Amino acid sequence: MARRFSTSPAKIGYTPRINVRANKIKLASFAEKPIIPLAGMNQPETKIAYALNDLKIRYRPQSSFFGGSTLGGARADFDLFDYNIVLNYDGPFHGTTEGRARDAIVNQTYVANGKRPISLYERDLKRLKPRIMEIIGTPLQ
């Protein structure tokens, strides 16, 4: 049985259809390297910890205030004790009504301890070190 073309190959401008398998673009080469979270932290918090270490800023990770979150107090992601600042990474939950209400109460706990609560968001992770320097200013000492 002879193969028939829908368009005659003798016509000018005819090109036979060629099936070419598309190569997959390797997006992993353009993306950031995955970060293995430190103990007790998620990936964004680990990024913040690495940035604080690079900037040589002393901090206490996961520090508790007024008994911690289990006893009605608060647990801060990073306590920058030289600056009297508490840094928290706020993920998607903190944008909900329940998250905002809880954050308002927790922030009052930090203020009662003489700390200034600061939240870092997903958009801050792209330029983390300059953002941290904007927040802390100069040490109290």
Side-chain angles (χ1 to χ4, degrees):
M1 181 173 199
R3 186 170 180 175
R4 297 185 132 190
F5 292 99
S6 60
T7 309
S8 172
K11 289 187 178 179
I12 297 175
Y14 170 78
T15 55
R17 179 178 284 176
I18 301 172
N19 291 328
V20 178
R21 184 173 180 181
N23 292 329
K24 291 183 181 178
I25 298 173
K26 295 183 180 180
L27 296 177
S29 63
F30 299 111
E32 292 181 13
K33 295 178 183 175
I35 294 178
I36 299 170
L38 297 172
M41 295 184 191
N42 58 25
Q43 282 188 348
E45 290 170 353
T46 301
K47 274 185 167 181
I48 295 168
Y50 287 149
L52 291 172
N53 290 336
D54 287 348
L55 294 171
K56 296 182 178 25
I57 297 172
R58 298 185 316 157
Y59 65 92
R60 273 189 294 267
Q62 311 298 323
S63 56
S64 297
F65 294 91
F66 291 133
S69 57
T70 56
L71 298 176
R75 184 185 56 85
D77 292 338
F78 302 97
D79 179 13
L80 309 180
F81 47 87
D82 289 337
Y83 303 90
N84 285 336
I85 292 175
V86 169
L87 277 181
N88 284 313
Y89 174 74
D90 287 355
F93 168 76
H94 297 272
T96 64
T97 304
E98 181 183 343
R100 282 189 224 137
R102 191 185 77 182
D103 287 344
I105 295 168
V106 167
N107 286 343
Q108 290 303 315
T109 305
Y110 301 140
V111 171
N113 277 296
K115 304 285 184 179
R116 184 171 58 132
I118 302 289
S119 296
L120 294 174
Y121 303 96
E122 182 73 28
R123 65 180 176 267
D124 295 326
L125 296 178
K126 293 178 182 136
R127 50 179 295 274
L128 192 55
K129 290 179 189 176
R131 178 68 180 125
I132 290 172
M133 294 306 293
E134 289 171 7
I135 291 169
I136 62 173
T138 57
L140 295 175
Q141 297 182 9

